[in-house]
Amino acid sequence: AEAAAEAAGGEVAAAPTRPDPFAAARAFEAALLLRPPESRSQRDPALSKVGEGLYLGGPAACVSWEGAQALLESGVTHVVNATLQLQHPPVPAGEPAFVAVRCAVEAGASPAGGGAAVTAALEEAAAAIAKSKSEGGRAVVLCDTPGGASAGAIAAYYLMRHCGFPLRRALDALAAAKRGQLLSASLLQRLAEAEARLAAAAEPEDKMKSREADGEAGGG
């Protein structure tokens, strides 16, 4: 049909475009791949800083004294364990115990009930990170692979839930922190749903603030 239209001297209409639901994910992947090759090939460090007082870590912290010592040297006080299997980090003699909580997020699964189990785990983990910062501490999210998808999803959700980041900005922060495991489609869907939910919850509060501001202006 396009060839016939061109032969007749007509113009071929462009196919309508649809919004890409994975645009943020594609941008995340592109940001990772654009990092210098030497950076991508380097061994993952013990910790990667995502934001002030928030780190991502791998299994080394849970299975070796050296890994636990790295947490202490970085000032980590709280641990969010995003795995089902790994034990919490050991505590070297004479050091205070980490405040640890397990919030396992299944990266590859799509739980029944619209991902309610994943959403609940993300909320619990984000609350634990927020609590650590309110107490003047630092938190690390540990996964069973360095920079694993579950830890990344928790960090992204925390930035959205407690720092007001949009999803795209949260994913950019992860990409800047380190080359990690890409988030699964299931986790990206949960995060996209969370972004919409948080935006909807903020609308009534914004409208109330606007009415209060209008009332003060009218009363003045």
Side-chain angles (χ1 to χ4, degrees):
E2 293 180 358
E6 291 176 354
E11 296 183 355
V12 179
T17 59
R18 297 181 179 179
D20 184 358
F22 294 104
R26 295 182 194 281
F28 180 42
E29 181 178 11
L32 293 178
L33 296 177
L34 285 174
R35 297 181 68 178
E38 61 274 12
S39 175
R40 299 204 306 267
S41 63
Q42 288 176 349
R43 182 178 178 183
D44 283 317
L47 292 176
S48 294
K49 187 175 181 179
V50 177
E52 188 62 36
L54 177 59
Y55 299 85
L56 298 181
C62 300
V63 299
S64 69
W65 292 109
E66 292 80 5
Q69 188 64 39
L71 299 184
L72 293 172
E73 291 174 356
S74 297
V76 169
T77 55
H78 293 63
V79 173
V80 177
N81 191 333
T83 76
L84 289 170
Q85 302 86 9
L86 291 178
Q87 62 184 1
H88 294 320
V91 181
E95 298 289 350
F98 297 109
V99 178
V101 60
R102 187 181 299 276
C103 302
V105 176
E106 293 295 340
S110 180
V118 170
T119 300
L122 291 174
E123 181 66 27
E124 181 182 3
I129 296 171
K131 184 174 185 294
S132 76
K133 300 189 75 171
S134 70
E135 296 174 350
R138 296 180 179 181
V140 62
V141 187
L142 298 178
C143 205
D144 49 10
T145 58
S150 295
I154 287 173
Y157 183 77
Y158 164 77
L159 293 174
M160 295 164 59
R161 178 73 169 81
H162 294 278
C163 302
F165 281 30
L167 176 56
R168 174 66 178 272
R169 185 180 173 191
L171 294 179
D172 286 345
L174 292 182
K178 68 184 298 182
R179 179 192 170 96
Q181 181 177 335
L182 295 180
L183 303 189
S184 67
S186 176
L187 283 178
L188 285 169
Q189 181 179 351
R190 300 286 86 79
L191 292 174
E193 292 169 354
E195 181 179 41
R197 185 175 65 252
L198 293 172
E203 286 181 359
E205 182 178 351
D206 292 342
K207 290 180 179 179
M208 182 177 296
K209 290 180 179 179
S210 178
R211 287 197 296 270
E212 290 175 353
D214 291 343
E216 291 176 358

